[in-house]
Amino acid sequence: MSTPMLKIYLAGPDVFLPQPLQRAEQMRQICQAHGLDAISPLDPLPGEQADVLASLDPYVIARRNEAHIRDSDAVLANLTPFRGPGADPGTVYEIGYARALGRTVFGYATVAADHATRVRALDGSTATADAAGLAIEDFGLFENLMITCGIEASGGFTITADTPDRWGDLSVFRRCVAAAATLLLGQPAIPAAAAG
């Protein structure tokens, strides 16, 4: 009898892409090749009716996503800056929710610049404060300290790299899945080429 695969929730703004179901399937296949069972925010809950899944009720969607996280062993979060210098706020909430539940969290982004560099780029500043006079958090971390430190305290990590196609390139995701599988499953990573 085979052991069930560990479940990993795919947090991130990928649900806003033009073809989110196809993207979720690509990500699921990459995870499966590394021995992980990916759960997308777009997946139904066990026994959920089709009309509920199709619902645009924000409260239904929020409760479903929280249920998926509770049912997962770990979370893999896309931290690529979304509509600003920082990660998608919904994804950040999910990281905190997973952390509070004791789940391991992994982050990845297709942008390598640290948080302070991205914030300064908004107004071309090189100062310690932005144009409104508000201090810029500058610890050399990829994201706000609560996000980065929370991920690391969970036992996870963040992998970043600049890619030519911020929303289409899955190479950093592949690297993160391989490294997460190695940590979670205690086995050597499968070469990225085998992950599709």
Side-chain angles (χ1 to χ4, degrees):
M1 184 169 160
S2 63
T3 305
M5 288 194 288
L6 289 182
K7 295 179 182 178
I8 192 160
Y9 177 77
L10 304 178
D14 305 86
V15 296
F16 299 112
L17 293 175
Q19 296 182 316
L21 293 174
Q22 290 86 335
R23 175 61 162 243
E25 184 55 31
Q26 287 178 303
M27 297 169 86
R28 190 183 323 278
Q29 289 177 9
I30 293 167
C31 290
Q32 192 168 32
H34 289 279
L36 299 172
D37 182 13
I39 299 174
S40 164
L42 303 172
D43 289 344
L45 294 172
E48 194 169 39
Q49 300 297 318
D51 61 332
V52 176
L53 182 59
S55 171
L56 295 179
D57 182 329
Y59 297 96
V60 171
I61 295 168
R63 286 191 301 271
R64 180 187 304 118
N65 291 352
E66 287 181 347
H68 282 320
I69 293 168
R70 288 193 302 273
D71 192 41
S72 297
D73 300 293
V75 169
L76 194 97
N78 184 348
L79 300 176
T80 301
F82 182 69
R83 297 180 178 153
D88 164 51
T91 302
V92 171
Y93 172 88
E94 292 177 332
I95 290 169
Y97 189 75
R99 175 84 175 101
L101 292 171
R103 304 299 188 264
T104 306
V105 181
F106 304 95
Y108 70 96
T110 57
V111 171
D114 68 24
H115 178 71
T117 300
R118 297 193 314 268
V119 171
R120 288 186 179 110
L122 289 178
D123 60 13
S125 172
T126 58
T128 57
D130 64 17
L134 303 175
I136 296 173
E137 180 183 297
D138 190 358
F139 295 107
L141 302 174
F142 178 74
E143 256 300 345
N144 169 278
L145 70 89
M146 291 302 291
I147 302 168
T148 300
C149 295
I151 288 172
E152 291 180 8
S154 80
F157 49 75
T158 301
I159 295 177
T160 67
D162 288 317
T163 63
D165 181 357
R166 181 182 288 197
W167 298 111
D169 190 311
L170 286 171
S171 61
V172 185
F173 173 78
R174 283 188 181 95
R175 286 175 49 209
C176 193
V177 170
T182 299
L183 183 67
L184 292 170
L185 303 175
Q187 61 190 30
I190 298 169

